[in-house]
Amino acid sequence: MSLTPRQLHRLAATAHRELGESWEEAQALDGLAAARLDDDPAAALRHWTRALRLLDGYDDPRAAAARERVERGLAQAEAPPG
């Protein structure tokens, strides 16, 4: 059985949430949001919003880069189609 990127990221996000691994969950949600952006921007927006909240607890350079990436995704999801 082969998983789509969307399925893989959803499984990863769920597993990391259940394990209390907020950094890894945020990364999985970022991937899931990117996979959903074209067909469901509202879902992408929800995933990126949650990822951004999860990243709040981190202040290292890697987290800053992740926040910037998620914020760019949020801007894309909020932009009108066209």
Side-chain angles (χ1 to χ4, degrees):
M1 177 174 119
S2 140
L3 298 176
T4 66
R6 182 186 306 171
Q7 292 168 323
L8 180 64
H9 289 298
R10 184 181 313 279
L11 286 171
T14 299
H16 291 304
R17 182 174 42 257
E18 289 174 357
L19 293 169
E21 298 171 340
S22 58
W23 173 262
E24 291 83 0
E25 181 185 354
Q27 301 309 303
L29 288 169
D30 178 32
L32 179 56
R36 301 291 312 265
L37 181 60
D38 289 339
D39 68 317
D40 193 348
L45 184 66
R46 287 190 305 274
H47 297 311
W48 273 317
T49 299
R50 174 140 173 83
L52 196 56
R53 274 184 281 161
L54 290 167
L55 292 169
D56 277 347
Y58 299 91
D59 61 0
D60 58 281
R62 192 172 72 159
R67 261 192 300 284
E68 288 175 15
R69 184 178 60 249
V70 168
E71 287 169 351
R72 282 192 306 272
L74 281 168
Q76 283 183 289
E78 292 171 338

